[in-house]
Amino acid sequence: MSDETTKYDDSAQALPDSMPGTETPYVPVFDPNVRTAIYVACTILGVILAVAAPVAVAAHAPEWATILLSAMAGAIPTVAAAFGVAYNPSRKV
């Protein structure tokens, strides 16, 4: 039986960039302009597909069409993540 009073506290852990031996900061693979373009494209596609999927259901579209639209809407964040896109309003380009 484990002791409930013993808990792991990670508040004193150093951040990865402040660890000794880290000589160069993290550099993303893709240029910031490419990541911004992908972010904007994925946002637009995500909104369009998120609206199109329920409209297809309401319009009694074929089952394959609604499944395809839903799958594509769900895949958009994965595509953005594959390019290392993350929204950061304080990012300097």
Side-chain angles (χ1 to χ4, degrees), residues 3-13:
D3 183 16
E4 290 295 323
T5 59
T6 305
K7 298 206 186 267
Y8 180 74
D9 182 16
D10 64 348
S11 62
Q13 298 293 321

Side-chain angles (χ1 to χ4, degrees), residues 18-72:
S18 65
M19 297 289 291
T22 54
E23 295 149 9
T24 58
Y26 170 73
V27 178
V29 175
F30 295 96
D31 182 70
N33 294 328
V34 171
R35 292 195 317 270
T36 300
I38 291 169
Y39 175 78
V40 170
C42 286
T43 300
I44 292 168
L45 282 172
V47 169
I48 290 170
L49 290 169
V51 171
V55 167
V57 171
H60 304 290
E63 185 177 344
W64 65 267
T66 57
I67 292 171
L68 180 65
L69 287 170
S70 298
M72 288 172 58

